[in-house]
Amino acid sequence: MLLIPSAFGWPTVFSSTLPPWQPTLTYPARGVATLWEKRTAATVPALERVLGRSRTRLLLELELPASTTELSYRTGLSPGAVSQHLSRLRSAGLVNAARSGRLVLYFRTDASEILLTGVPT
């Protein structure tokens, strides 16, 4: 069975078993309801004073794993600046990276999760 995430069939799940094609199940992609919304990250003032606005924003944007290109698009920072900030956050143990095909995806560590939830807004 072929599983196909789709942004266009939301919220319905479709199935197809017509020969000669492979049986398929088309389902709503994760986060499809917010696909066309303009994302704005809330800021955490106390954390900004320690890490800086850009690094805090990057941490907040890493709610889901993302590449430097995607983070650059979301934040308006240059890809080089995003890469430098992620490098510093990674050396501090606040983000980690994993390869997914040709992409390197960055994600928050447990330490950054605690930091983000433990800071009063």
Side-chain angles (χ1 to χ4, degrees):
M1 176 170 282
L2 181 62
L3 299 174
I4 304 173
S6 173
F8 304 105
W10 185 84
T12 309
V13 174
F14 298 98
S15 63
S16 175
T17 57
L18 297 172
W21 296 284
Q22 182 176 1
T24 62
L25 182 66
T26 305
Y27 61 94
R30 182 173 162 192
V32 72
T34 61
L35 187 61
W36 291 276
E37 288 181 2
K38 174 80 173 130
R39 291 186 50 143
T40 56
T43 58
V44 182
L47 194 55
E48 279 186 356
R49 287 191 292 274
V50 175
L51 295 178
R53 180 177 292 143
S54 297
R55 290 183 185 150
T56 301
R57 177 119 190 251
L58 287 171
L59 277 180
L60 291 169
E61 287 291 335
L62 284 173
E63 192 173 330
L64 294 174
S67 68
T68 54
T69 306
E70 186 176 351
L71 289 168
S72 173
Y73 175 76
R74 285 194 224 157
T75 61
L77 297 169
S78 71
V82 169
S83 181
Q84 287 178 355
H85 288 306
L86 289 173
S87 175
R88 297 289 168 98
L89 290 170
R90 191 172 182 188
S91 67
L94 297 175
V95 298
N96 224 335
R99 184 165 290 281
S100 175
R102 295 183 347 187
L103 293 175
V104 175
L105 298 178
Y106 292 87
F107 55 93
R108 294 190 288 210
T109 62
D110 291 340
S112 63
E113 294 291 343
I114 291 168
L115 191 62
L116 288 171
T117 57
V119 175
T121 56

